[in-house]
Amino acid sequence: MTNLIDGRAIAEKVYVDLRRDIAELKARGVAPGLAVILVGDNPASRTYVRSKDKMCRDLGLHSVKLELPATTTQSELLARVKEFNRDPAIHGILVQSPPPKQIDEAAIVRALDPGKDVDGFHPENVAKLALGDPTGLVPCTPLGCHRLLVESEIDISGAQVVILGRSMIVGKPLALLLMQKGIDATVTIAHSRTRNLGEITRSADIIVAAIGRAEFLRADHVRDGVVVIDVGINRVDDPANERGYRLVGDVAFSEVAPKARAITPVPGGVGPMTIAMLMSNTVKAAKQASKERRLGQPPTST
Ligand code: NAP
């Protein structure tokens, strides 16, 4: 019988723990702070930024939302990032993706203080994930996928995990996370050039789909008893819906769910966990910064 993995309910559990951590930090005079920079007026990005800001406020985090015009230059954006790097009230910085085309996103990520890089995209944090250094900040969506599995009591150790997609946001960091000692999955990554995909996915105990192709994973791709984490968010036309579209994942849910031991819905699965893990990374960054300050260590970068 299929067990639905409820991302909203699991995110609420994360928030219970975070509220306690935030209260402890505040009692020591530290209010964790997140700065979110939005360049331009992409409507989807604006919605994401608004929900991040709202969640910060709900949790009692210090939240700064900086909205810059679409004409912002690389050097103007770099200057703003450096200001937040120096600001002791800000522990996490996020530049909402995608920025306008004149912005070199990779250079912006490299300019972030790695200790404040709550997206976990800075090369130092990527290296720490590869090295298994727990002081690193890990990208939010992979962290959310892992937490969903843990909270659902899915046995990851020794499991065959097949990840569809090799992006630096989801597939690659998730593979690095799940293969770490102590988590101990046997990980295979598939991508657009993978041959015999069905053979690979049918061998999986756990499948994570992160490719951005609506309802790509079908019933004949999976074996009975599989656990499926669907990261995809795709819009498909739906005249019956008042918005004219509906959101679906990378998994054909109605076909795959009857074969699955456990599966995430879209929406309401990975999405709520991504934002919960952003809040969690901000609190982790604040804890680490306050510990460094107590020990009299210099910040990780200038
Ligand atoms: P991306 O950067 O476009 O990467 C897509 C990956 O999928 C690539 O590695 C690509 O392979 C692979 N791929 C494409 N078609 C494939 C196929 N037919 N078979 C196997 N692999 C295939 O995407 P992303 O940023 O990782 O995002 C993936 C999806 O997750 C999107 O729907 C996105 O909206 C969603 N997402 C959701 C959340 C959330 O919070 N729920 C967060 C992030 C992303 P190549 O490398 O060979 O091109």
Side-chain angles (χ1 to χ4, degrees), residues 48 140-142 163-171 189-194 197 209-214 216 230-234 248-250 266 269-275:
Y48 289 138
C140 303
T141 303
I163 300 171
L164 304 184
R166 56 176 163 181
S167 76
M168 288 307 296
I169 297 172
V170 190
I189 290 203
H191 47 76
S192 66
R193 303 300 172 96
T194 297
L197 186 70
I211 59 176
R213 302 269 184 277
F216 175 88
D230 189 353
V231 180
I233 304 174
N234 309 286
V248 299
D250 290 344
V266 175
V270 175
M273 291 303 289
T274 296
I275 187 155

Side-chain angles (χ1 to χ4, degrees), residues 134-248:
T135 67
L137 291 163
V138 176
C140 303
T141 303
L143 269 185
C145 293
H146 175 239
R147 188 70 178 260
L148 285 173
L149 292 169
V150 170
E151 294 288 343
S152 307
E153 298 182 354
I154 306 296
D155 201 359
I156 309 173
S157 178
Q160 298 279 353
V161 178
V162 173
I163 300 171
L164 304 184
R166 56 176 163 181
S167 76
M168 288 307 296
I169 297 172
V170 190
K172 268 188 210 163
L174 181 62
L176 287 170
L177 182 64
L178 296 184
M179 74 172 74
Q180 275 186 355
K181 258 198 190 313
I183 299 179
D184 299 323
T186 302
V187 180
T188 303
I189 290 203
H191 47 76
S192 66
R193 303 300 172 96
T194 297
R195 285 194 216 111
N196 305 326
L197 186 70
E199 257 171 49
I200 295 169
T201 51
R202 280 188 294 275
S203 73
D205 301 309
I206 301 170
I207 300 176
V208 183
I211 59 176
R213 302 269 184 277
E215 301 179 322
F216 175 88
L217 193 84
R218 315 299 300 247
D220 62 355
H221 282 117
V222 306
R223 63 171 181 73
D224 286 330
V226 68
V227 173
V228 179
I229 304 290
D230 189 353
V231 180
I233 304 174
N234 309 286
R235 279 184 182 195
V236 293
D237 292 341
D238 184 358
N241 191 300
E242 63 182 28
R243 290 178 299 189
Y245 68 87
R246 66 195 157 86
L247 295 180
V248 299

Side-chain angles (χ1 to χ4, degrees), residues 93-114:
I93 309 167
L94 181 153
V95 182
Q96 183 64 46
S97 192
K101 59 181 182 320
Q102 76 275 15
I103 300 295
D104 175 353
E105 198 172 3
I108 299 294
V109 168
R110 283 195 301 274
L112 290 167
D113 176 342

Side-chain angles (χ1 to χ4, degrees), residues 51-102:
S51 55
K52 287 166 187 172
D53 184 50
K54 180 177 177 304
M55 188 47 73
C56 279
R57 287 170 199 278
D58 282 358
L59 290 174
L61 298 181
H62 170 54
S63 172
V64 177
K65 191 172 62 160
L66 177 62
E67 297 189 22
L68 299 173
T71 51
T72 303
T73 64
Q74 179 81 5
S75 57
E76 284 166 344
L77 180 55
L78 274 175
R80 295 309 194 108
V81 164
K82 285 177 182 167
E83 271 172 36
F84 285 132
N85 279 348
R86 286 190 296 269
D87 184 345
I90 294 297
H91 304 95
I93 309 167
L94 181 153
V95 182
Q96 183 64 46
S97 192
K101 59 181 182 320
Q102 76 275 15

